[in-house]
Each structure stands twice: as structure tokens, then as C-alpha cells.
Amino acid sequence: MAEHNHHFDPAEMEEWYDFTSSSKRKLIIGMLAGLAILLIGAFMVSKGIGIGIEHAHEHAGHGHEGHEHGLPGWAKRVVANLWMNAEFFTGISVIGMFFVCIQYLSWAGWSSILKRVPEAFPAFLPISGGILIILYFAFGQELFHWRHEGVMDPESEHYDAIIAGKSWYLNNAFFIVRTVLYIGLWYGLWVVLRNLSKQEDAVGGTEWWYKMKNLARVFILVFAVTSSTSAWDWAMSIDTHWFSTMFGWYHFASWHVTGLAVTTLAVISLKEKGYLRWVNENHLHDLGKFMFAFSIFWTYVWFAQFLLIYYANMPEETIYFRERFSGYGGIYKAPFFINLLLGFLFPFLWFMTRDAKRNQTFLKVGASVIIIGHYFDFYQMMMPGLVGANAGFGLIEWGTTLFFASAFIYVISAQLTKASIVAKNHPMLEEAVHHDI
Amino acid sequence: MSHVSAVVRPPLVTGGKSYHDITEDVCRQVEGKPTASWKIVFGISSVVLFLGTCSVFWTWWDGLGNWGLNKTVGWAWDITNFVWWVGIGHAGTLISAILLLFRQKWRTSVNRAAEAMTIFAVICAASFILMHAGRAWLAYWCIPFPNTFGSLWVNFNSPLIWDVFAISTYFSVSCLFWYCGLIPDLATIRDRAKSKVSKFIYGLLSMGWNGNTKTWFRYEYVSLILAGISTPLVLSVHTIVSFDFATSVIPGWHTTIFPPYFVAGAIFSGFAMVNNLLLIVRWTFKLQDYITIEHIETMNKIITVTGSIVGIAYITEFFIAAYSGVEYEQYAFINRAFGPYWWAYWAMMTCNVVTPQLFWIQSIRRSIMWTFALSVVVNIGMWFERFVIIVTSLHRDYIPSSWAMFSPTIIDIGDYVFTFGLFFFLFLLFAKYLPVINMAEVKAVMKSSSERFPYKVKPGKSTGEKVTE
């Protein structure tokens, strides 16, 4: 390929994204519509009118850790949806940072041409993280069994010795400190990385690459620990009695593949708008391989966790899958299997061939399916513990997701305008331009 | 693959080597007479192998009663050594398969020796299965086929039989992968051979390779397909090894994180062994320009990453034991760290989690002596990891009256020594009679990644600065 007569000029690589006012308007309408649908949905459910799949209170439940406290079912469902989406989108955002850092640490060249896209994702962290913190302060007692009145108090009739035994980790102050720390560290390190990245554009030279590599080390060290602990805090502790050593990595694997799918969709939609001229089917192929491989990785982790619990069949562990399989009148069976179908089977077959990974339409379909599949992963992770028999899939779910998705796209688009979409002075850029697989 | 290389990338072939130099440098020891040092080392490993073989024969003659097992600790050195060797056997196919899929150019100098190591390590691991079978000649009973002995049939529910399938598949595919990669190089040796005998033997082995475009095309295609098949296999083998423990209800064994954590540990120990072998090979065969400090540093980085993953898994297990509130689980971990086998636990922690962190320091990562020493330490640590998991979980079971300790007998030790003899015996034969570096694949990355033919990207052209060299 490229011989010495070839001309490569970083200045020509620069591309600036135009966040048009019509896109802004559409996204704001999306957010407002999401909120409106959410409110209408909540109102209707509270009045007992169902659109979509609604599970009313007549399901007797499956003896799960008391949901009789506090808010009415419909309100719990609203809170649960907000929590679940905030966590889901926090994951997508932080995976943007994770992806960029891994590219630096592994000396990847091909991705330098599109790295600005995932690099924009963590801009959403203050919003999704902020929502998590607000929800915890406002509804912590609704969300977490370990926050229920009296579970830690030996005098109380609600005393639960097992939960009380976890109070050294699951207590209000420590939980808040941890949550703030996760969001703060992830966002803070991203701000530093983003600044270095912009300075590289302005000044040029290879020193920024080395600096970002060093920063990537710090982030990966932080994330190696916090990706697991945040999963224990935000998701595993919902089912307070239950535990699994794999849970942190399983939760991370779900976030990761979703983040890759969102990256792919974002890259393709930018390309369709005429940006990222130098991104071609070779780069898309790599993104496709990533989605394929990490769908399988997620499945591997999912299966290992499931099989070991199923095989050993210890009551304190199997209850988790029992609840999802046959608990609450079997309402979680569908999301459980949709998750497996869309998270594993579909991408596994869909992305099997080389051609599929090089075709934009195929990639768009595959990426969307992965995102939906993992939405249901989080749904089945959280809802049984959060709302039990009051779960459903209707206007509340559609509205919340529409709101979060529109807000995410808005914030990311706004962030994309703040630097050239192509990191023109990235030392690996010419490798990426010549990428050919 | 593109030949453009960024300026920040160091070369992978140094010393201004040309295409012809590669052929000469790698073929030299295949074509020459065995050197004195090779003969000495080979002699020593043959003696070790002989002594070990005596021990193995005694194991079979006398029965497993001559191992240090007792009714509480029914599994100890045998399975520890088995898992240890299988773990080491991971890096080779990982380098070849996963790094090929990831288009890592540095793999080309190290893949051949690493794959050979894999195969020999798996053979060593398998020998413990045969020893443990007691009657090695009945080992074929592991294969599920209708038999004439009555209703005897393998237990498909047992992860041990999954092991048989996983490891035999892995072994077959690894051999195939390794051999396919050898064919072009064998043809090179065939074409250069002077004596009739070596012409015939290498001719037979190279299967009529003629080096035309179509053959190369097939070579690349087969490599890619085998890499695709091997990648899940690499993961599956140690996953299923971990199932041997994790499907049980023994505290300390039944934990869901086992599969990926075992895989990470296996890669960790495998890379350490590759480091040790390659450091010796590059020195004795003078291959410093092909197995460069960059290669060693990269492998040390992988050791640091996988060692840290293992460390996180240890801490996760400890945390979840505390968090779960299950007292048996909690006791298992307290007993590990502070019980009678505390020294094994802290040896594991130090060697696997603490010392590999020294590789964060670049000068240590790039030092031959440090790399060699720390790689040995890693494999000591990984041996202790398996010992800790297996023996400390078993020796104090649910009934305190049956608590016991394990100590190895001379036969336990002799059987372990046997595998060392076998491993080095086979590896030395390989190093003498086959090319230790994949010449054809190193040649393929010369354009992009050698000192002699570099086309380097000049960075920061817009501002015109920071052009090294």
C-alpha cells in the first residue's frame, strides 16, 4: 500500500460537527414526549387502565422480600424505570471512556479515526449519575430492601439478620460516598482526557498520545475496581439477600457490549450525515467484530453464572433465577428470554459472516438489537427486586426510555461539536486511514 | 494489512535484518549439529525424565495409595499439577489465535515456540489424568462409546467428562494450528536441505508445499478459521477446568466468578512460561533481533493485566464471602488466609498479585533478569493458587472430626518431576529440529515493522515538529 509518494495532511482530516437547530428541536420534543408518555402511563396505571403489558396486583407474588412498603405500585414502577435507565445510560457513557482508554493501552491504530465519537459519551455522566444520586436520596427506601424500615434493627419486627449482617457495606453514608466517588472519578478522569485530546488537536506532536496513555492506565485501574463495586451497589444490592461473585463482570459485560453497539450506531449515523469521510467498511468491520465478540463474552459470563448456580442448586442462590423464571406469576420469563435471544442468539448468527460486519444496514440492525437485548438484561436484573409483581411493559417504560435516549443523544451531539470529529494530530491516524482487513 | 506504521511504534525486527537474514538466523540451529550446551541440557532432562518415569511406573504398580492423599483430602497434588500445566498450556494458542484475530504483529516472533509449549504442557497435564486413573490402560473408558462391559457409560453430568472433551479438542486443534503454521517453514528447510535424509523427512513433513499464491491464500484462510475455532476453545478449556470445582457445593469452590478468573490465571501463568522459555531461546540461539525487548515488554504487560484480573477476583471472592453472610463460605476464606495453610495463601497472594505489579515500572518490564525472575515467581504463585483452592477447601470439611492435613510423598513429588522432565525433553527436541520462529510470518511484517524497511508516519505535520529519528 501507501508508498512514499503518498501525501497525508492532518489539517485535511479536520471535520466539525454541526448540531443543527432542527435536530435540537427534534431531540427536545423527544425528551418532552418521553416525559409526557411517562406521566400519562403513570396516570393510567394508577387508575388501572392498561396499554401494553400491565401486571396488576392480583398476581400473588412469589414470597419476595417485602414490597408492601411505601409508595403505590405505579409510583414504584416509575421510580424503578428511572433508576434502571439512569444506570443503563451511565453504563453506555462510561463505556465510551473505557473504549478510548483501551485503544490507547493496546496501541490500537485503526480506531484513532473514530475515537472522538465514544470520547464524547461520558459527557452524559453528570446527568445520568446525577439522576442516580437524586433518586437515591428521594426514593432510597423504595429502591433498596436494605434501606427498608427496621431491617437492620434487632428490636423491629422487620429485622432481617442476613441483611443486618451486611450493614458494614450496605449503609446509607458509605453507599452515598461510593456512588459519588464512582461518578466523580469517571467523569473527572474523562475531563482530563478530553482536555488532553483537544490540546493534541491544537498543538500537535506525539507527547499527548503518551499523556493520554498514562491517563488511560489510571482510568483502567479505577474502573477495574469500580465497575464491579458499582454493579454490586446499584444492581446486586437490590436483591439484598442474593450474591454472586460473577455479578460485577456480568453487569460490566452487559454495559460494554451496549456501549459498543451505541458507538457503532453513532459512527454510522455520522457517516450517513456525511461526516467521518475516512471511516470505511474496514473500520466498521472492526466495530462489528467487537460487537460479535463481546456479545459472546457477555453470554459466556451470563452462562457461567447461570450454570454454576443451577448446577449447585443452593436455595440462597437459585432463588434469583427462580424469581425470574416462575416468580410473580411468571411475568419475568419473557424479558429473561428476550434478553438471551437478542443479547446472544441474534447477534451470534447475524454477525457471523464477514460481509455482515461490513454492511452498514446489517450493522445498524445488529447494533439496535443488541441495545434492546441488553435493555432487557437490565430490566430483568432490576425489576423483580424493585417492583416485583407490579412490573409491566407499557407507556411508562416507553416514555422513560424515550426521554433518556433523547437526552443522551442531545448531550452527546452537543459534546461532539466541541472538537473536530477526527482527532487530526493523533499519531496513529495515518494507520487508520490505511486500515485494510 | 497495511504497511503504514505510526512513529510511536517501535520496530519488531531490529538489527537491520533482511529477508534472507531471517531464513539464515532461524534455520541455523535446525541445520547445524547439536551444540554442546543443547546436549548437556537435553541429557539432564533425559535423566530427569527417566527418574520421573520410574516414579510414574511405581504409581501404577503400587497404586494411588502411595500418594499422600487421605479420606478428607482426596485430591491434592495430582489435580494441582494438572490444573497448573493446563493453565500454562493456554498462552500458546492464545498468542496464535486471539492475537491473530486482533491483528497483532508482534505475535509472529513468539507464536511458534508458544504453541509448541502449549502442546507439551497439555501433554504434561494429561499425564496426571492417566496417573490418577490408576489403570492408565483403561483410560479409554473416558470416551463415551457403547461397550461390552455391561451398562458402563460415562457420566455426562460430570464436569470431569466435559474436561476430557474440552482438553482433547483443544489439544487436537492446537496441534493442527501449530502444524499448519509450520508447513511453509518446513518447506524452506526442505529446499535448503543438503542431505538426502533431511530432504526426505522435511519434504514429507512439508506436505508438498509449493509456495504459490493459491497455497498462501489457503494458508491464510486456514489460519484464520483455526484461530476462530481456537479462541472459544482457549476460553472453554479453563472454564471447564474451573467447573471441576465450581459446580460442587464445597465452600471456596462454589463461586460463580471461577470460569473467567481461571482463564485469566491461565493466561497469566502461560505467558510467564513463554517468557521463561523465550528468554532462554533468544539467548542460546542469538535471536535477540526477532524476540526483542518490545516483545518481552508486551508480554510483561499482559502478565500485569491478567495478574491484576486474578487479584481482583481474589478480592471479589473474599468480599462476597463476607457479604453473603454464609458462615461456611466465610470460614473457608478465613481458614485460607489464617489457618494452617496460611503460608500457601500468602505465597499465592505475593507471587500472583503483589510482585507482578513491579511490571508497572518500565525499567523492570524491559529488564531480562527481572522478567525471567518474576516469570518464575508467577508460576510458583500459580501453583500455590491451585494448591490453596484445592487443599484448603478440602482439608477442613463440614465435620471437624475428619479435619486433616495433606503432605506429599516422594512419589507425589516424583510424578511432578516426571512432567518437568517430559516437558523439557519435548521442548528441546522441538527447539533443535524445528524452526523456533515462524520465518514466513515474520517476513510478512517486515515492511511495516522492521528497522530496515520502515515507512514511518511523521506526526504533527501541520505544526511541523516532534519527528523522531
Side-chain angles (χ1 to χ4, degrees):
Chain A
M1 288 219 41
E3 290 311 324
H4 296 260
N5 57 4
H6 155 88
H7 297 293
F8 173 82
D9 187 358
E12 284 172 18
M13 302 300 294
E14 216 171 298
E15 284 178 28
W16 288 86
Y17 179 63
D18 178 23
F19 189 20
T20 59
S21 53
S22 84
S23 327
K24 280 182 191 162
R25 197 167 51 242
K26 275 184 209 153
L27 287 165
I28 289 171
I29 292 171
M31 280 185 257
L32 293 175
L35 279 180
I37 294 169
L38 167 63
L39 291 174
I40 295 167
F43 175 76
M44 287 170 71
V45 173
S46 73
K47 297 286 170 221
I49 313 162
I51 293 185
I53 305 158
E54 313 289 352
H55 301 286
H57 304 277
E58 61 263 19
H59 291 298
H62 193 70
H64 181 66
E65 322 174 332
H67 287 290
E68 65 279 3
H69 306 271
L71 293 177
W74 64 269
K76 275 187 176 177
R77 190 168 140 194
V78 172
V79 174
N81 267 287
L82 291 171
W83 180 265
M84 182 204 133
N85 275 282
E87 188 170 334
F88 189 56
F89 282 90
T90 298
I92 296 169
S93 313
V94 73
I95 290 302
M97 177 72 176
F98 177 78
F99 181 86
V100 172
C101 289
I102 290 292
Q103 303 310 304
Y104 276 91
L105 290 179
S106 61
W107 299 52
W110 68 275
S111 56
S112 58
I113 192 123
L114 51 83
K115 72 133 193 172
R116 279 280 159 83
V117 178
E119 195 180 281
F121 290 1
F124 193 65
L125 274 177
I127 295 171
S128 64
I131 293 175
L132 284 175
I133 292 166
I134 293 168
L135 284 173
Y136 180 79
F137 275 109
F139 302 106
Q141 286 200 317
E142 299 299 328
L143 290 163
F144 295 102
H145 187 189
W146 53 271
R147 286 284 313 279
H148 287 181
E149 201 65 44
V151 285
M152 306 253 189
D153 177 12
E155 308 297 312
S156 164
E157 54 171 327
H158 299 299
Y159 178 67
D160 186 321
I162 293 175
I163 294 178
K166 302 179 193 222
S167 59
W168 55 275
Y169 187 76
L170 296 179
N171 60 66
N172 209 5
F174 194 18
F175 186 93
I176 293 165
V177 169
R178 287 196 304 265
T179 298
V180 172
L181 207 66
Y182 304 147
I183 304 289
L185 276 171
W186 299 345
Y187 186 69
L189 288 167
W190 171 74
V191 168
V192 181
L193 180 105
R194 183 76 170 154
N195 282 335
L196 289 172
S197 187
K198 285 180 192 163
Q199 273 170 296
E200 183 190 64
D201 270 7
V203 183
T206 53
E207 65 194 278
W208 309 103
W209 184 80
Y210 288 104
K211 281 185 183 162
M212 280 187 266
K213 195 151 69 74
N214 282 334
L215 190 83
R217 277 186 201 147
V218 178
F219 177 79
I220 292 297
L221 271 181
V222 167
F223 198 59
V225 177
T226 52
S227 60
S228 281
T229 51
S230 62
W232 301 336
D233 290 346
W234 297 343
M236 195 168 85
S237 84
I238 291 172
D239 296 281
T240 312
H241 283 167
W242 186 77
F243 54 89
S244 164
T245 41
M246 182 74 104
F247 193 83
W249 292 354
Y250 154 66
H251 186 270
F252 160 75
S254 199
W255 268 1
H256 186 216
V257 72
T258 313
L260 292 170
V262 173
T263 305
T264 311
L265 280 186
V267 166
I268 293 176
S269 74
L270 283 167
K271 253 200 100 51
E272 283 175 345
K273 290 197 174 107
Y275 301 101
L276 295 174
R277 284 168 295 148
W278 293 94
V279 171
N280 58 36
E281 66 276 12
N282 293 298
H283 308 91
L284 295 177
H285 187 177
D286 273 342
L287 287 171
K289 285 195 269 190
F290 260 141
M291 287 192 289
F292 177 68
F294 284 99
S295 291
I296 298 175
F297 177 72
W298 170 82
T299 313
Y300 166 69
V301 174
W302 183 95
F303 176 74
Q305 176 170 272
F306 176 81
L307 177 89
L308 291 174
I309 288 174
Y310 166 83
Y311 197 113
N313 199 14
M314 294 156 99
E316 67 268 32
E317 295 180 11
T318 30
I319 180 70
Y320 189 80
F321 290 109
R322 283 289 295 183
E323 223 172 75
R324 279 147 185 81
F325 237 75
S326 48
Y328 310 111
I331 57 173
Y332 291 107
K333 211 168 189 166
F336 184 84
F337 281 106
I338 291 172
N339 170 220
L340 278 183
L341 224 61
L342 305 188
F344 168 59
L345 200 65
F346 186 87
F348 181 68
L349 299 175
W350 188 255
F351 284 135
M352 184 79 83
T353 65
R354 175 185 162 89
D355 291 346
K357 295 190 274 279
R358 296 171 75 86
N359 177 303
Q360 292 193 16
T361 311
F362 262 74
L363 284 165
K364 276 197 285 187
V365 173
S368 310
V369 167
I370 286 174
I371 295 168
I372 296 167
H374 287 277
Y375 171 90
F376 279 106
D377 193 11
F378 279 83
Y379 184 93
Q380 64 84 32
M381 245 187 260
M382 316 231 150
M383 291 300 175
L386 288 176
V387 293
N390 293 313
F393 202 87
L395 292 180
I396 297 177
E397 283 69 24
W398 284 105
T400 322
T401 312
L402 179 62
F403 169 76
F404 270 90
S406 310
F408 178 81
I409 297 169
Y410 189 96
V411 172
I412 292 345
S413 306
Q415 185 58 226
L416 277 175
T417 62
K418 295 190 178 162
S420 159
I421 303 187
V422 176
K424 62 171 181 171
N425 285 328
H426 194 301
M428 304 269 190
L429 198 55
E430 194 173 351
E431 279 189 19
V433 169
H434 291 279
H435 187 52
D436 170 32
I437 50 173
Chain B
M1 233 185 288
S2 161
H3 292 318
V4 179
S5 249
V7 73
V8 288
R9 279 191 208 279
L12 296 173
V13 179
T14 55
K17 297 286 182 186
S18 68
Y19 286 89
H20 184 61
D21 291 336
I22 300 175
T23 314
E24 287 294 331
D25 291 341
V26 176
C27 289
R28 190 173 300 125
Q29 62 277 342
V30 181
E31 291 164 349
K33 289 248 178 311
T35 59
S37 57
W38 185 86
K39 282 183 194 160
I40 293 168
V41 184
F42 189 69
I44 296 171
S45 15
S46 304
V47 172
V48 173
L49 178 60
F50 175 74
L51 292 175
T53 308
C54 295
S55 174
V56 172
F57 266 103
W58 192 244
T59 306
W60 282 331
W61 184 261
D62 198 34
L64 298 188
N66 61 26
W67 283 354
L69 303 175
N70 52 53
K71 75 176 169 54
T72 308
V73 186
W75 255 10
W77 267 48
D78 48 343
I79 190 88
T80 299
N81 296 334
F82 161 76
V83 179
W84 189 73
W85 277 118
V86 169
I88 288 171
H90 263 64
T93 307
L94 181 101
I95 289 175
S96 281
I98 296 183
L99 298 185
L100 176 69
L101 294 183
F102 277 111
R103 304 291 198 274
Q104 296 294 299
K105 291 173 179 169
W106 64 276
R107 86 182 252 289
T108 54
S109 295
V110 296
N111 61 355
R112 171 76 43 76
E115 283 172 57
M117 183 215 71
T118 285
I119 291 167
F120 306 144
V122 173
I123 292 173
C124 289
S127 69
F128 282 99
I129 311 241
L130 295 182
M131 287 180 222
H132 194 271
R135 295 169 180 80
W137 48 94
L138 298 180
Y140 68 94
W141 285 11
C142 291
I143 301 162
F145 67 100
N147 59 63
T148 54
F149 315 129
S151 58
L152 199 59
W153 196 251
V154 297
N155 179 8
F156 285 106
N157 288 336
S158 164
L160 295 175
I161 199 71
W162 307 344
D163 249 351
V164 173
F165 304 147
I167 293 176
S168 52
T169 313
Y170 178 66
F171 182 71
S172 326
V173 173
S174 294
C175 287
L176 199 62
F177 199 9
W178 180 63
Y179 193 78
C180 286
L182 266 169
I183 290 174
D185 283 4
L186 291 169
T188 305
I189 296 171
R190 170 199 67 194
D191 296 342
R192 290 162 54 94
K194 303 250 164 27
S195 83
K196 263 210 168 110
V197 179
S198 48
K199 214 173 195 73
F200 176 74
I201 292 173
Y202 287 106
L204 205 64
L205 292 175
S206 56
M207 300 174 120
W209 175 271
N210 56 16
N212 68 23
T213 315
K214 197 134 198 173
T215 344
W216 277 115
F217 174 76
R218 288 186 185 127
Y219 173 86
E220 301 239 318
Y221 222 89
V222 163
S223 300
L224 209 55
I225 289 171
L226 285 175
I229 295 172
S230 309
T231 303
L233 272 177
V234 176
L235 296 175
S236 79
V237 173
H238 231 63
T239 295
I240 290 173
V241 169
S242 84
F243 286 171
D244 292 349
F245 309 101
T247 49
S248 73
V249 291
I250 308 275
W253 285 10
H254 175 68
T255 164
T256 48
I257 208 172
F258 254 29
Y261 137 52
F262 263 50
V263 171
I267 296 165
F268 179 55
S269 70
F271 267 103
M273 187 59 104
V274 172
N275 252 342
N276 283 353
L277 293 176
L278 284 180
L279 285 175
I280 298 171
V281 165
R282 80 193 278 273
W283 177 67
T284 44
F285 292 166
K286 300 190 175 48
L287 296 171
Q288 285 92 337
D289 287 323
Y290 305 101
I291 303 163
T292 66
I293 297 289
E294 294 308 324
H295 291 88
I296 294 162
E297 188 183 2
T298 309
M299 290 196 281
N300 287 338
K301 284 180 188 167
I302 295 179
I303 288 176
T304 318
V305 171
T306 47
S308 306
I309 292 175
V310 167
I312 285 174
Y314 293 160
I315 296 163
T316 302
E317 283 188 317
F318 230 107
F319 170 83
I320 295 287
Y323 173 92
S324 69
V326 180
E327 58 182 330
Y328 303 109
E329 204 68 42
Q330 290 171 346
Y331 179 74
F333 282 91
I334 288 170
N335 183 45
R336 268 183 196 180
F338 307 110
Y341 284 111
W342 63 270
W343 46 272
Y345 180 81
W346 293 106
M348 159 189 113
M349 271 296 187
T350 316
C351 300
N352 287 349
V353 185
V354 182
T355 50
Q357 304 304 326
L358 287 171
F359 280 141
W360 285 96
I361 303 161
Q362 199 185 28
S363 56
I364 291 183
R365 214 158 61 215
R366 297 176 71 90
S367 146
I368 306 281
M369 294 315 292
W370 274 104
T371 301
F372 194 85
L374 286 177
S375 297
V376 173
V377 166
V378 163
N379 267 319
I380 294 172
M382 285 309 289
W383 190 89
F384 274 111
E385 179 197 293
R386 278 62 174 256
F387 183 80
V388 165
I389 292 171
I390 292 156
V391 174
T392 67
S393 292
L394 287 177
H395 87 120
R396 288 191 163 173
D397 65 9
Y398 290 102
I399 308 167
S401 63
S402 59
W403 285 7
M405 297 292 284
F406 168 83
S407 35
T409 63
I410 186 77
I411 302 295
D412 274 309
I413 297 166
D415 289 349
Y416 187 36
V417 167
F418 163 78
T419 50
F420 274 96
L422 182 65
F423 182 75
F424 286 104
F425 180 83
L426 292 171
F427 193 82
L428 284 160
L429 281 180
F430 153 75
K432 171 64 196 75
Y433 293 104
L434 294 171
V436 286
I437 285 183
N438 192 329
M439 299 183 272
E441 291 189 3
V442 171
K443 286 173 188 172
V445 301
M446 284 289 275
K447 269 269 168 59
S448 65
S449 310
S450 76
E451 242 173 40
R452 185 159 167 155
F453 311 105
Y455 171 61
K456 285 281 182 192
V457 170
K458 304 282 184 281
K461 199 181 280 177
S462 56
T463 50
E465 55 142 351
K466 289 277 177 206
V467 180
T468 50
E469 286 160 306

